[in-house]
Amino acid sequence: MSETFTDPTGSTVVSAPTLYRRSGKVSPVSLVVAAAVLIPLGILFGAIYSAAVVYLPFIKLRGLVTFFVGAGFGVIAGSLCYKLKYRSWMMTFLTVIGFTAIGYYSSWAVHPALVIGAGELGEDFVPLMLQGFDPLMIFGWMKGIYTDGIWAMGAGGGGALSGWGAVAVWVLEAGLIFGTAFVSGMAAYGNRPFCENCYRWNEETEELAVLPVSTTDPAWNQVRNGNFDALKKLQIAPDSDASYVELRLADCPTCDESDYLSAIGITLTVDEGQLKKNETDIFRNLSVTRQQRDEIVEFAAAMAEAVQLMKEEEALNEQTGEDAEPPVGEDSETNEPS
């Protein structure tokens, strides 16, 4: 491994690499495909969700359904944006929220028909479902619930939820659905770099190197500014078993113009008996040249070997210390008077 990391060809000073930023491009074909897939799915899932809310007998179970429906909307839309190669965070956000809005609107549209029931409506059940997509129909239905309560219609109104109590439930429901959709959708979409030259997502290498160092080491600022030699100046942290740093690479397998380095702080915690891995970005997707990438891979291999040797030495020292201690309860011989 070389003593120093290589600067880009022709550079006389340490260059300051840049963090990856999406190009913001989305092809018209991708938008058409997304609309063709998500609009009917949104209508279908919205109707299924509305039926679950109407027919499930337990309030807590309805709450769980609401949570999982929101998460499902997000995962479906976010994953589709990734598959269709959206390179725009804003367009992904709008797609996730738009898909969720279609589903939520559809759940309100079919709600009147589901509440009244197919048995009572007969042949008017499906037409009422279709009429429910009229915004004025939805507004009138919400106004009726606000005034009389959802169970007041034909049931005397005993214990019916109405007025601002009903509005509060609607706000909480919408907040839960759209909030979980946003979080799950952006997580499904991810933050992997995209190679515009090859029109493909980069491949990520998890745990290229595990460094027993602190996330607050001053050397990270130098690395962030392009001085990769500072990686060799990182100091071993005393609590490296529970807190360490992972180096990760995201590179294009078909060209050498889309390589990125990430440094992620890892903290291990135990929650209810389960080991949790919490991540904190030191920096993510910092541009590097292919030669710098290769040298970082070489550095990572050398670091992994050094860490392994360090652990073996610590284990040997602990074993040696245990062997040197006298057995517990063994007393030295004493001379007793005869």
Side-chain angles (χ1 to χ4, degrees):
M1 184 173 66
S2 62
E3 295 296 324
T4 60
F5 287 93
T6 306
D7 291 330
T9 305
S11 172
T12 57
V13 296
V14 176
S15 60
T18 58
L19 295 176
Y20 173 76
R21 293 185 62 183
R22 300 201 186 280
S23 65
K25 297 178 180 178
V26 181
S27 71
V29 174
S30 295
L31 294 176
V32 172
V33 172
V37 172
L38 295 180
I39 291 176
L41 276 182
I43 295 173
L44 175 62
F45 290 167
I48 294 174
Y49 166 65
S50 187
V53 170
V54 170
Y55 296 120
L56 285 176
F58 304 109
I59 297 297
K60 291 184 179 179
L61 192 55
R62 294 177 187 175
L64 285 175
V65 169
T66 301
F67 173 83
F68 285 113
V69 163
F73 282 142
V75 169
I76 291 171
S79 300
L80 185 62
C81 289
Y82 177 82
K83 293 293 184 182
L84 295 177
K85 299 180 179 178
Y86 278 39
R87 282 96 75 202
S88 168
W89 187 93
M90 181 56 65
M91 288 302 300
T92 301
F93 168 78
L94 292 175
T95 300
V96 170
I97 296 302
F99 177 52
T100 306
I102 291 172
Y104 189 61
Y105 184 89
S106 299
S107 71
W108 270 107
V110 302
H111 194 245
L114 292 172
V115 169
I116 299 173
E120 184 173 341
L121 289 171
E123 296 180 356
D124 294 330
F125 180 70
V126 173
L128 183 58
M129 273 191 168
L130 298 177
Q131 292 172 21
F133 284 89
D134 184 347
L136 295 178
M137 182 80 171
I138 294 178
F139 179 76
W141 180 251
M142 296 176 74
K143 185 177 180 181
I145 295 175
Y146 179 86
T147 304
D148 302 318
I150 185 62
W151 304 117
M153 300 175 184
L161 181 65
S162 60
W164 289 108
V167 174
V169 171
W170 298 338
V171 171
L172 289 174
E173 177 191 44
L176 182 59
I177 289 176
F178 282 90
T180 54
F182 168 74
V183 173
S184 63
M186 302 316 292
Y189 176 60
N191 51 21
R192 183 177 300 193
F194 188 87
C195 180
E196 296 289 343
N197 293 329
C198 304
Y199 198 69
R200 60 170 296 164
W201 296 104
N202 281 14
E203 294 183 356
E204 291 184 312
T205 302
E206 295 290 334
E207 295 187 8
L208 170 69
V210 176
L211 308 181
V213 300
S214 171
T215 59
T216 59
D217 194 307
W220 288 120
N221 290 329
Q222 300 179 47
V223 177
R224 168 64 183 83
N225 290 325
N227 181 12
F228 294 107
D229 287 329
L231 287 170
K232 302 173 183 178
K233 301 177 183 178
L234 294 167
Q235 301 296 312
I236 303 296
D239 58 343
S240 58
D241 288 337
S243 179
Y244 54 90
V245 175
E246 288 183 3
L247 290 184
R248 302 175 185 175
L249 274 179
D251 55 8
C252 178
T254 56
C255 78
D256 58 1
E257 298 182 12
S258 183
D259 296 331
Y260 298 91
L261 175 70
S262 298
I264 313 297
I266 305 296
T267 302
L268 301 179
T269 58
V270 177
D271 184 14
E272 298 181 353
Q274 299 292 325
L275 187 65
K276 295 183 64 176
K277 185 178 180 180
N278 305 298
E279 298 188 359
T280 303
D281 291 354
I282 300 174
F283 57 80
R284 188 178 287 272
N285 296 327
L286 186 70
S287 62
V288 294
T289 66
R290 179 51 60 98
Q291 188 169 1
Q292 288 171 334
R293 168 201 174 280
D294 294 340
E295 291 175 344
I296 290 169
V297 171
E298 186 180 352
F299 164 77
M303 177 60 72
E305 183 178 353
V307 170
Q308 182 62 32
L309 290 174
M310 183 180 66
K311 290 182 177 179
E312 292 176 357
E313 185 178 349
E314 289 177 352
L316 181 61
N317 291 338
E318 290 178 0
Q319 183 63 37
T320 303
E322 291 176 358
D323 294 342
E325 294 179 358
V328 177
E330 181 176 319
D331 298 329
S332 60
E333 294 183 358
T334 58
N335 294 325
E336 296 182 358
S338 57

